[in-house]
Amino acid sequence: MKIAHKLAHLIFPRESNNQKAKLLHSSSLTVFIFFLVIYQLVLNFLPKFRPDILGFAANIPPNEVIRLTNEKRAQAGLSTLIENGTLSQAAQAKAADMLNRDYWSHIAPDGTQPWTFFTNAGYKYRYAGENLARDFSSAPAAVEAWMASASHKENIMSAKYKEIGIAVIEGDLAGVDTTIIVQFFGTKYADSLPAVPIAEAKSISTTKPAATIAPKSTIQATPLGYPSSSPASFVAMNEGEEPPRALKSKITISPFGTTKSVSLVIIGVLLFIMVIDFVESNRKQLARVSSRSFSHVAFFGMIFAIALILKAGQII
């Protein structure tokens, strides 16, 4: 009975809680906010001490990113992008370079442009583009984030591109375990129509570097025969060779899942209690002398904070 009375005190308006559910009191809302802040701080700092327990590792198949990208293009009546193994190799090299040199940008600290990875892999382009994403829990989440950004969407929906290469690599970036997605778009110079004028190679950055194209007679597409038939085909391995870190299966506690679950549970509980409080107060025709304004402001402030916490992932 004591447990039932305690639950009623927390959920239902009664004399013991001044005719308003205790969980809707400003003091209770403050505790919720404090808990979420502490919880998020733990998620941010724990990977630096125990990356084997908590990390932004995610199972994102590259072919799923390609499928979703082509799905968006099909909805707009655009042609399907063909997966190109050389582009995938270039994207893999860019992702590995960001992890190895610990930067998160289109341009490397030494000034290396994204297009260097295209040419180093042997992809001679007429048009080229790059989208980057990190810390997403799924392929749909990353693609939707790109589509919500005008500049990233422009790359995805561009009719200039004919091919695509994707790399998904997991590793340590700035001391935190993360998953990086590199999306390369391209059209080989040899596949371009002679009547099409030379265009810029675009990246999502404030300064858009222009591609310098040599005369057609000196440029040839050089396929490297790089395998691209499966999500894990970015690196060729000999029998018995240990797979690279990007291809290993890693079991971690995902902050995406835990943060989302905890936040949604809190929002659901509070909304449920607000409905009960509203129904009960109207049924009993309760006259409350205290103002609800602060509680309501605190409540919606907490929902806004939770919404910010739920915004996982970054794109550039």
Side-chain angles (χ1 to χ4, degrees):
M1 291 298 293
K2 289 184 178 180
I3 296 178
H5 283 298
K6 187 64 176 178
L7 288 175
H9 174 76
L10 293 173
I11 298 174
F12 296 96
R14 300 159 58 92
E15 291 184 5
S16 62
N17 53 32
N18 197 26
Q19 300 300 338
K20 183 167 66 175
K22 179 61 179 177
L23 290 179
L24 296 182
H25 286 211
S26 57
S27 58
S28 299
L29 295 174
T30 301
V31 170
F32 280 125
I33 295 173
F34 179 77
F35 167 76
L36 287 172
V37 171
I38 296 299
Y39 179 74
Q40 194 63 24
L41 287 175
V42 170
L43 290 183
N44 289 337
F45 286 103
L46 186 58
K48 297 180 180 180
F49 302 100
R50 290 296 303 274
D52 56 320
I53 293 179
L54 188 67
F56 286 93
N59 181 24
I60 301 178
N63 61 352
E64 179 68 3
V65 179
I66 295 174
R67 185 189 70 79
L68 292 169
T69 298
N70 279 324
E71 186 177 273
K72 298 296 183 183
R73 290 174 62 89
Q75 291 171 0
L78 296 171
S79 62
T80 297
L81 296 175
I82 305 302
E83 182 181 6
N84 180 283
T86 304
L87 271 185
S88 294
Q89 182 188 30
Q92 181 80 2
K94 172 60 182 288
D97 189 65
M98 285 192 288
L99 292 180
N100 293 335
R101 296 205 276 171
D102 206 26
Y103 69 94
W104 170 241
S105 173
H106 288 290
I107 301 174
D110 63 356
T112 300
Q113 300 284 338
W115 328 121
T116 301
F117 299 95
F118 284 71
T119 55
N120 286 349
Y123 192 90
K124 309 301 182 182
Y125 61 86
R126 179 76 174 219
Y127 299 105
E130 176 188 64
N131 284 344
L132 300 179
R134 60 174 291 191
D135 300 341
F136 283 93
S137 58
S138 65
V143 173
E144 289 300 330
W146 281 328
M147 290 297 292
S149 165
S151 51
H152 294 81
K153 180 179 179 180
E154 183 181 355
N155 263 346
I156 291 176
M157 306 299 283
S158 175
K160 296 178 180 178
Y161 300 132
K162 294 184 178 181
E163 297 176 315
I164 187 172
I166 299 290
V168 180
I169 185 170
E170 179 265 322
D172 182 280
L173 186 64
V176 177
D177 204 46
T178 187
T179 298
I180 292 176
I181 307 174
V182 178
Q183 186 180 51
F184 274 177
F185 303 92
T187 296
K188 289 194 287 286
Y189 191 89
D191 293 340
S192 302
L193 296 175
V196 178
I198 295 175
E200 290 184 338
K202 295 180 58 182
S203 71
I204 309 306
S205 60
T206 54
T207 304
K208 297 182 179 180
T212 302
I213 306 297
K216 185 176 180 181
S217 60
T218 64
I219 293 184
Q220 295 180 349
T222 310
L224 302 182
Y226 202 75
S228 59
S229 58
S230 67
S233 63
F234 292 127
V235 178
M237 294 180 289
N238 297 322
E239 185 176 356
E241 183 178 354
E242 184 180 4
R245 190 178 182 191
L247 303 182
K248 288 182 180 179
S249 175
K250 181 174 181 180
I251 300 175
T252 59
I253 301 172
S254 172
F256 298 108
T258 55
T259 300
K260 183 176 181 179
S261 298
V262 170
S263 301
L264 290 179
V265 166
I266 291 176
I267 290 178
V269 168
L270 291 179
L271 288 176
F272 176 71
I273 294 174
M274 284 191 72
V275 171
I276 292 177
D277 183 76
F278 176 79
V279 172
E280 286 293 299
S281 62
N282 280 277
R283 185 178 68 83
K284 296 179 180 179
Q285 296 184 345
L286 298 175
R288 291 171 174 167
V289 295
S290 61
S291 173
R292 301 185 189 180
S293 57
F294 177 79
S295 296
H296 288 172
V297 170
F299 176 73
F300 289 111
M302 185 182 64
I303 291 180
F304 178 72
I306 292 174
L308 292 179
I309 291 174
L310 286 173
K311 187 182 178 182
Q314 301 176 34
I315 59 173
I316 58 173

